[in-house]
Amino acid sequence: MNQEIRRLYARIETLEKEKNILANGNSPGYNLFSHSKDGIIIFDSEEKIVDVNPSFAKSIKMDKQQLIGRSLCEIVPENKHFKLEKQKELLKKNKSVRGILPVYNGSRSIIEFDFTTSTLNERGLYMCILRDVTNKRLLERKVKKNEELYADLFIEALDGIIFWCGNGEIIDANEAACRIFECTHDELIKKEIKDFVYEKSERYRNIVKEMFIKGSIRDELVFLMPNGQFKSLEFTVKLNSVEGYHMTIFRNVSERHAMEKSLRESEQKFRMIFEGALEGILLWNDQFEIVDINQSGQRMLQITKDDLIGASLHSILNDCNITDDELKEQIRNIHSEGQSDGNLSITLKTGRKKFFEFSNKLNIFSNISMTTFKDITEKLEMEEQLRKSDTLNVIGELAAGIAHEIRNPMTALKGFIQLLEGSVKEDHTMYFNVITTELSRIDSIINEFLILAKPQAVKFVELDISQIMKETVDLLSAQAVLHNVQFRTYYEQNLPKVFCESNQMKKVFINIIKNAIEVMPKGGYITVSIQKVSDHKVHISIKDEGTGIPAHKIKKLGEPFYTTKERGTGLGLMVTYKIIEEHKGTIEVESKMGEGTVFHIYLPLI
Ligand code: ADP
Ligand code: MG
């Protein structure tokens, strides 16, 4: 654009020269009059047009004949008539007058002329030579505007702009550049841009090389300012951009870099907290689609992130204890209060049922809501166990008190019944049998009670648990055969010894196996296996193929007198739990209706 402006200036200059030649009247005459490129008007002292040359007539799109005889006032806009007055006045004193004169053309638009009027002769004729400068004036205005615009851009720009010459010396810089380079304008003028480059590294040299090859470049470097400050500047270089000078535009991107860095850091911080949290954290959007889940969450739900992201929140609520109505209520709560919390149980893909405590917060940021949750299965189980062991303790204390009291009269009863049986003449065998079995039933109940009684002389020793199990299985095999039940046993070789009380362990195994036999009236297999699961735990499992136990009944197992059998005592499992507890072990029951039940016993090895 600058080139264009310069070209126009040159053209204006030559035109000026031409006009001057004409105005000086170097070669007057008709030829000049009719062939001149400039317009010529001859008018008299009354300002009446006497003659015009073709060039003028053409420039205002009128016929010569239309113009001759008219007054100059008619072709000059009214508000410029003062110019004609002025001309008249000046012509009285001077030989010639110069100026700018607007004239109407045939279609009533205004043409601007540069004019020179001079006295033609003594008879009061004047000659006005006019040159159409409409376009020139327009251009001049445009140039002025462009110059202003350029100055505005240069001075006011937010980006630093530096002009430098071939030897690298800075010749001009705007205010923004001074600010960026922490220099005054004068200080900057003495320097070169490369003085500020912090490291003249390979990269810097490549940038310079490429700049000279391509003529322009855009890149980024670290600059060291005179006050010791480092700045990352983004720059655009354009060689020979204005009048042979080179231009570089700078922008300080240090802040942006710092911001990006702190953003990255805070994102990292958030990640660490998110992933490191002990609670499960689930993020979901307003479409209830899962957006993110942390590691604890994946572990608790036993699903990987990849399987979850994009899935609906409902998909993990699969097989949970919350009804659709309750779920809607939850969602309503979230929407009305921005949060909600509660408990729910979910059956995981692995088939395990887990209990969770959760809390929802709506729209924690841009449409993302958060659910935090905790696996409280173990806590609930522990509470349950605590409740059971509490009852067990009470029973134990009771048992200690009563059992002996009952036992003594029982011994007396048993002795006398035997005596009576021998001395009664009639055959009452049936009655005696009933009495004897009922008495032995009472006996076994009392025995089980006694195990619960606290102070017992139990001796814990290191024993081979497989051996104890083998003996128990042998003991029960007769009864098993009777029920058409067979054993399958798997004992891990070289199991470490378990610290336990042999008779009590036997009691545990007998109770569980007996129950197993009793739930398989049509026979089947009882699978017993013992194996080490870790350095400090051994796992004993006893699996039957019986009826199974409904889920809601499993937690009742071990409660005193809980039995579903007509002649059951409901004490067997209670004793079992008690003994395992005393051995610092745990029992888990896994059951499927119609398929069978597995009792898992875990005993500590040390
Ligand atoms: P009892 O055997 O005298 O009923 P237990 O304490 O041994 O008392 O067992 C309590 C109850 O637990 C049983 O009545 C039965 O309903 C249930 N139970 C125990 N073991 C099993 C099993 N292997 N399969 C199904 N139900 C069982
Ligand atoms: Mg039983």
Side-chain angles (χ1 to χ4, degrees):
M1 193 185 64
N2 270 299
Q3 269 178 359
E4 193 194 337
I5 293 164
R6 260 179 281 133
R7 221 178 30 243
L8 282 162
Y9 266 131
R11 180 154 159 65
I12 290 164
E13 245 170 51
T14 51
L15 286 171
E16 204 92 283
K17 271 182 207 150
E18 255 181 57
K19 188 190 82 181
N20 283 338
I21 293 168
L22 282 170
N24 290 340
N26 276 352
S27 43
Y30 180 77
N31 235 14
L32 192 62
F33 180 77
S34 60
H35 285 102
S36 166
K37 272 190 196 162
D38 289 338
I40 302 175
I41 308 175
I42 313 285
F43 60 94
D44 62 16
S45 52
E46 307 279 272
E47 290 187 337
K48 255 207 182 69
I49 297 171
V50 177
D51 200 358
V52 298
N53 72 343
S55 172
F56 180 72
K58 193 175 161 210
S59 69
I60 64 165
K61 295 181 189 154
M62 279 164 93
D63 272 354
K64 184 176 174 165
Q65 298 313 320
Q66 281 180 293
L67 287 164
I68 289 176
R70 284 202 189 184
S71 158
L72 283 180
C73 290
E74 288 178 61
I75 58 166
V76 173
E78 201 157 355
N79 62 349
K80 302 289 169 179
H81 282 179
F82 71 90
K83 289 199 175 214
L84 294 174
E85 294 299 322
K86 185 108 189 187
Q87 171 178 262
K88 206 192 261 178
E89 213 178 289
L90 287 172
L91 278 172
K92 279 178 193 155
K93 291 185 227 150
N94 309 323
K95 261 192 135 179
S96 69
V97 178
R98 303 185 55 173
I100 300 281
L101 191 69
V103 176
Y104 282 129
N105 69 4
S107 44
R108 294 303 276 181
S109 47
I110 291 169
I111 313 281
E112 275 185 293
F113 289 99
D114 203 353
F115 76 92
T116 308
T117 308
S118 35
T119 317
L120 199 64
N121 56 23
E122 306 309 309
R123 281 179 293 140
L125 282 184
Y126 299 94
M127 177 171 77
C128 180
I129 300 172
L130 306 107
R131 172 161 304 171
D132 181 348
V133 290
T134 317
N135 285 334
K136 182 187 150 193
R137 299 271 291 183
L138 257 172
L139 261 169
E140 271 173 356
R141 274 184 220 125
K142 221 159 125 191
V143 166
K144 201 157 162 249
K145 238 188 174 159
N146 277 333
E147 268 176 350
E148 279 167 11
L149 195 71
Y150 165 74
D152 277 357
L153 280 179
F154 178 69
I155 294 163
E156 306 290 336
L158 287 173
D159 290 334
I161 303 175
I162 286 181
F163 287 103
W164 45 286
C165 55
N167 63 7
E169 213 172 88
I170 294 174
I171 54 150
D172 201 0
N174 68 350
E175 243 177 75
C178 298
R179 261 197 313 276
I180 290 175
F181 285 95
E182 309 283 345
C183 286
T184 62
H185 189 265
D186 289 347
E187 282 168 343
L188 205 53
I189 296 299
K190 290 178 212 142
K191 292 199 164 72
E192 294 180 29
I193 292 172
K194 73 164 190 252
D195 297 343
F196 293 92
V197 174
Y198 174 53
E199 275 180 324
K200 311 234 171 13
S201 57
E202 183 73 30
R203 201 167 89 81
Y204 164 74
R205 284 194 293 277
N206 283 339
I207 291 174
V208 175
K209 213 193 282 170
E210 204 182 320
M211 169 182 84
F212 282 116
I213 293 170
K214 286 189 182 165
S216 69
I217 198 162
R218 187 192 183 109
D219 215 308
E220 207 181 297
L221 278 172
V222 175
F223 292 79
L224 175 59
M225 306 310 157
N227 65 359
Q229 214 178 329
F230 288 102
K231 289 186 184 176
S232 290
L233 302 182
E234 192 183 81
F235 54 85
T236 313
V237 186
K238 187 135 181 39
L239 295 185
N240 303 314
S241 69
V242 177
E243 288 160 25
Y245 294 122
H246 314 307
M247 177 174 74
T248 309
I249 300 175
F250 288 96
R251 179 171 291 183
N252 188 354
V253 289
S254 312
E255 235 166 75
R256 199 180 72 202
H257 283 189
M259 221 145 80
E260 280 168 1
K261 193 169 158 235
S262 83
L263 210 74
R264 263 198 309 278
E265 275 171 5
S266 74
E267 153 80 19
Q268 254 165 14
K269 234 183 286 171
F270 160 75
R271 268 284 142 206
M272 297 262 285
I273 297 169
F274 182 72
E275 295 298 355
L278 286 175
E279 291 195 339
I281 305 176
L282 195 67
L283 302 180
W284 40 278
N285 63 16
D286 47 1
Q287 308 293 313
F288 297 101
E289 278 168 1
I290 294 166
V291 175
D292 207 346
I293 181 168
N294 68 348
Q295 277 165 11
S296 299
Q298 295 171 56
R299 206 169 41 241
M300 284 183 211
L301 297 176
Q302 298 190 352
I303 315 181
T304 62
K305 192 171 178 158
D306 294 344
D307 288 341
L308 273 180
I309 286 181
S312 134
L313 203 55
H314 299 280
S315 71
I316 43 171
L317 293 177
N318 205 4
D319 203 3
C320 78
N321 66 342
I322 284 191
T323 62
D324 271 0
D325 283 344
E326 282 170 323
L327 201 67
K328 274 181 204 141
E329 172 72 28
Q330 276 278 343
I331 290 167
R332 253 200 305 282
N333 274 351
I334 304 179
H335 282 293
S336 65
E337 287 163 34
Q339 69 174 73
S340 73
D341 39 34
N343 288 332
L344 59 80
S345 72
I346 296 175
T347 309
L348 301 183
K349 288 224 170 76
T350 55
R352 249 200 90 132
K353 190 170 178 172
K354 289 267 188 183
F355 294 86
F356 294 101
E357 198 174 87
F358 66 87
S359 141
N360 294 316
K361 282 206 177 65
L362 201 66
N363 295 337
I364 50 164
F365 59 88
S366 55
N367 277 344
I368 298 292
S369 302
M370 174 176 79
T371 302
T372 50
F373 55 99
K374 230 186 335 203
D375 183 349
I376 52 163
T377 317
E378 260 170 48
K379 191 180 127 205
L380 290 183
E381 277 169 3
M382 214 124 91
E383 278 171 6
E384 182 62 28
Q385 235 157 32
L386 229 92
R387 197 177 62 77
K388 263 183 201 166
S389 70
D390 260 5
T391 352
L392 283 175
N393 280 337
V394 175
I395 302 270
E397 277 159 30
L398 275 177
I402 315 167
H404 285 287
E405 300 299 320
I406 302 175
R407 218 176 196 190
N408 293 338
M410 272 285 297
T411 326
L413 270 178
K414 268 199 252 173
F416 286 118
I417 288 291
Q418 266 166 18
L419 272 177
L420 211 59
E421 197 179 1
S423 59
V424 174
K425 297 279 174 308
E426 294 98 301
D427 183 17
H428 288 309
T429 327
M430 204 184 74
Y431 298 144
F432 281 112
N433 279 349
V434 172
I435 293 172
T436 322
T437 49
E438 287 306 301
L439 277 180
S440 69
R441 197 168 118 73
I442 296 175
D443 219 26
S444 72
I445 293 177
I446 290 169
N447 276 337
E448 274 168 357
F449 260 127
L450 271 179
I451 288 177
L452 297 172
K454 263 273 151 165
Q456 270 194 54
V458 282
K459 277 207 313 288
F460 279 66
V461 278
E462 282 191 357
L463 293 170
D464 179 355
I465 198 84
S466 303
Q467 186 54 38
I468 299 175
M469 181 60 94
K470 277 177 202 155
E471 286 170 19
T472 314
V473 169
D474 286 345
L475 196 73
L476 292 170
S477 55
Q479 202 186 342
V481 169
L482 225 66
H483 286 82
N484 210 6
V485 168
Q486 289 178 39
F487 284 99
R488 277 194 293 222
T489 53
Y490 304 96
Y491 304 122
E492 192 179 309
Q493 298 283 304
N494 307 321
L495 268 179
K497 295 226 157 43
V498 176
F499 203 59
C500 65
E501 212 282 334
S502 155
N503 279 330
Q504 291 207 333
M505 277 333 286
K506 240 180 231 171
K507 186 96 197 152
V508 166
F509 299 154
I510 289 172
N511 281 343
I512 296 175
I513 294 172
K514 257 182 146 175
N515 283 343
I517 295 172
E518 283 163 8
V519 290
M520 293 196 287
K522 293 196 189 112
Y525 284 100
I526 293 177
T527 313
V528 175
S529 81
I530 303 180
Q531 72 211 60
K532 202 170 87 167
V533 281
S534 73
D535 274 350
H536 40 261
K537 232 185 213 173
V538 64
H539 174 204
I540 303 152
S541 76
I542 300 162
K543 176 172 173 281
D544 65 53
E545 295 170 349
T547 46
I549 309 167
H552 64 279
K553 287 282 166 62
I554 286 183
K555 57 171 174 283
K556 292 198 88 75
L557 300 181
E559 276 181 16
F561 309 115
Y562 169 70
T563 179
T564 53
K565 297 167 194 165
E566 209 177 321
R567 294 184 64 80
T569 62
L571 287 174
L573 283 183
M574 181 180 77
V575 169
T576 301
Y577 277 71
K578 174 85 181 166
I579 293 171
I580 294 301
E581 191 192 337
E582 274 165 8
H583 283 77
K584 307 263 181 292
T586 53
I587 294 193
E588 277 173 23
V589 183
E590 194 188 328
S591 188
K592 251 204 176 129
M593 292 304 288
E595 282 181 26
T597 307
V598 192
F599 278 79
H600 300 277
I601 301 171
Y602 297 93
L603 289 175
L605 277 172
I606 306 143

